[in-house]
Amino acid sequence: MTTADLDNTGILLAIRDLRVELPAPIGEETFTVVDGISFNVHRGETVALVGESGAGKSMTAAAVMHLLPDDAIVAGSIELDGRELTRLSERELVRVRGREIGLVFQDPSTALNPMYTAGWHVTEAVTLTRGLRRKAAVDAAREALVHVGFPAERFDAYPHELSGGMRQRAMLAIALAGEPKLLIADEPTTALDVVAGARIRAVLAELRRERDLALLVISHDLPMVAELASRVVVMYAGEVVEHGPTSAVFGAPAHPYTRDLLECLPPLGGHGTRDQKHRLAVIPMPDGPPGEGCRYAPRCRDVIQACRDEHPSMRPTHGGEARCILVPEAEAAR
Ligand SMILES: Nc1ncnc2c1ncn2[C@@H]1O[C@H](COP(=O)(O)OP(=O)(O)OP(=O)(O)O)[C@@H](O)[C@H]1O
Ligand code: SF4
Ligand SMILES: [Mg+2]
């Protein structure tokens, strides 16, 4: 952890050495999908978790919400406001979900029940998290929907009658119904077209300003990350390989993987349309479990023999850290 991260004041979510193992599809073995990751989210701060498909981003979010498959093995610590979440009972966790942490799922089309209207979903969420009576809950649901730019007249629309952008707004209203301190948004714009994505970005930016909401945004949409997040955490093959202030990580990435990701993109802040160029490249993972050395070695253009001998530890960068032996051990490299 860096000096910035060791500053305990204002930490809302603290993840330490989080490890998630899942049963392998065949046999008795397990495979590790999140491997000893640590990072903080401070109150009112926006942190982005980025990395290619399969890096373990959604599994990290699922671990925080205690929504992993039943046979998952979890180790490490997840503290919310100083309270250890991994030791809470299911009953206590029900109170945390929605009231303290809101979650926008990666796939909004499967998160809404097609049998019920947008208004019903948000009313249910308000009732469960705030215990309001029916009339007050309906009023609060209307207010929550309007707050995220969902048109009031579509309150009784069913999910299939809504555009992707409107479904995503309904999901946001559900996640925010209990007035949580932390919102985890897993790919909030990825399934949307450029206009709908830009509107969701604007809604998130406004929510952050208005409510002092902490936001953990998981995204391939790096222009959104650059706009919203003050810090970035880069994951590769279940590990954090770099983290730091967004301007430093995007401006002068220290880890070769971060550099390769950014090179797949048009210049940040440009006016390109949101298309494949804005997504992180999906490069196939090497076969089999990671070996002893650096996990990025099979794909790294800067690899040297020493990279294959030993697993690199985190080394300090300007305001952050990177897991690469080419980053000088003690002094900031940039
Ligand atoms: N329900 C599941 N059961 C078994 N393995 C899973 C399950 N969900 C994900 N995995 C595996 O866990 C690893 C991490 O997946 P995860 O969904 O966290 O990736 P991600 O970083 O969110 O990727 P994406 O950008 O595609 O959403 C992958 O190897 C994936 O195949
Ligand atoms: S440790 Fe070596 S292989 Fe790994 S990212 Fe650094 S230079 Fe590349
Ligand atoms: Mg995911």
Side-chain angles (χ1 to χ4, degrees):
M1 291 278 103
T2 61
T3 316
D5 277 339
L6 284 173
D7 170 12
N8 286 344
T9 53
I11 292 179
L12 180 61
L13 179 72
I15 296 183
R16 294 287 173 274
D17 264 332
L18 177 67
R19 194 178 161 87
V20 178
E21 287 174 49
L22 296 174
I26 306 167
E28 309 258 304
E29 295 291 306
T30 59
F31 69 107
T32 304
V33 292
V34 176
D35 198 358
I37 69 166
S38 301
F39 66 90
N40 296 327
V41 181
H42 290 72
R43 270 169 232 292
E45 182 188 33
T46 300
V47 173
L49 201 52
V50 304
E52 69 195 13
S53 199
K57 306 180 300 294
S58 294
M59 282 289 155
T60 301
V64 172
M65 298 300 278
H66 228 277
L67 292 174
L68 288 165
D70 287 345
D71 43 13
I73 301 166
V74 182
S77 161
I78 303 170
E79 277 190 8
L80 182 74
D81 237 347
R83 193 162 39 129
E84 181 59 54
L85 296 188
T86 55
R87 287 198 289 268
L88 296 187
S89 66
E90 186 52 36
R91 205 168 143 187
E92 289 167 315
L93 282 161
V94 168
R95 291 183 61 83
V96 170
R97 289 186 208 117
R99 278 178 230 196
E100 296 180 57
I101 310 177
L103 175 66
V104 174
F105 289 92
Q106 181 160 358
D107 183 359
S109 60
T110 56
L112 295 172
N113 186 330
M115 305 292 288
Y116 296 98
T117 65
W120 179 91
H121 281 92
V122 185
T123 306
E124 273 296 290
V126 168
T127 308
L128 287 171
T129 53
R130 283 155 64 185
L132 298 180
R133 287 175 181 275
R134 184 76 196 164
K135 168 80 175 69
V138 169
D139 290 345
R142 281 187 196 283
E143 200 180 304
L145 279 164
V146 169
H147 204 94
V148 295
F150 187 98
E153 66 276 13
R154 308 304 311 277
F155 190 82
D156 292 322
Y158 287 88
H160 73 272
E161 297 172 320
L162 298 169
S163 66
M166 285 305 145
R167 280 199 293 268
Q168 193 61 290
R169 282 166 198 244
M171 288 302 305
L172 264 178
I174 293 167
L176 295 168
E179 302 177 329
K181 299 174 259 195
L182 172 68
L183 177 70
I184 302 178
D186 194 352
E187 302 286 0
T189 58
T190 303
L192 305 179
D193 63 43
V194 62
V195 175
R199 287 188 180 142
I200 291 292
R201 266 150 79 166
V203 168
L204 289 173
E206 198 180 314
L207 284 168
R208 193 192 50 182
R209 273 196 305 275
E210 277 181 5
R211 294 200 185 182
D212 198 31
L213 184 72
L215 184 59
L216 177 61
V217 64
I218 297 172
S219 190
H220 292 274
D221 183 348
L222 294 201
M224 175 178 77
V225 169
E227 183 183 318
L228 285 181
S230 54
R231 282 190 307 120
V232 179
V233 177
V234 184
M235 284 185 76
Y236 179 76
E239 290 185 316
V240 173
V241 292
E242 181 163 6
H243 70 91
T246 308
S247 54
V249 173
F250 283 7
H255 196 284
Y257 175 60
T258 316
R259 275 207 310 269
D260 290 347
L261 290 181
L262 293 168
E263 278 180 16
C264 300
L265 301 171
L268 293 170
H271 296 287
T273 54
R274 190 195 153 280
D275 58 19
Q276 277 308 103
K277 284 182 293 181
H278 279 77
R279 291 182 61 86
L280 303 185
V282 178
I283 309 167
M285 297 281 288
D287 288 338
E292 283 297 298
C294 171
R295 291 182 186 176
Y296 197 50
R299 292 161 62 181
C300 182
R301 63 181 109 159
D302 298 328
V303 64
I304 52 174
Q305 184 48 45
C307 306
R308 302 186 199 277
D309 296 340
E310 183 179 336
H311 187 231
S313 51
M314 284 294 214
R315 296 175 176 203
T317 58
H318 278 308
E321 289 178 314
R323 192 181 292 284
C324 173
I325 62 167
L326 299 186
V327 173
E329 241 167 309
E331 287 295 316
R334 291 166 283 149

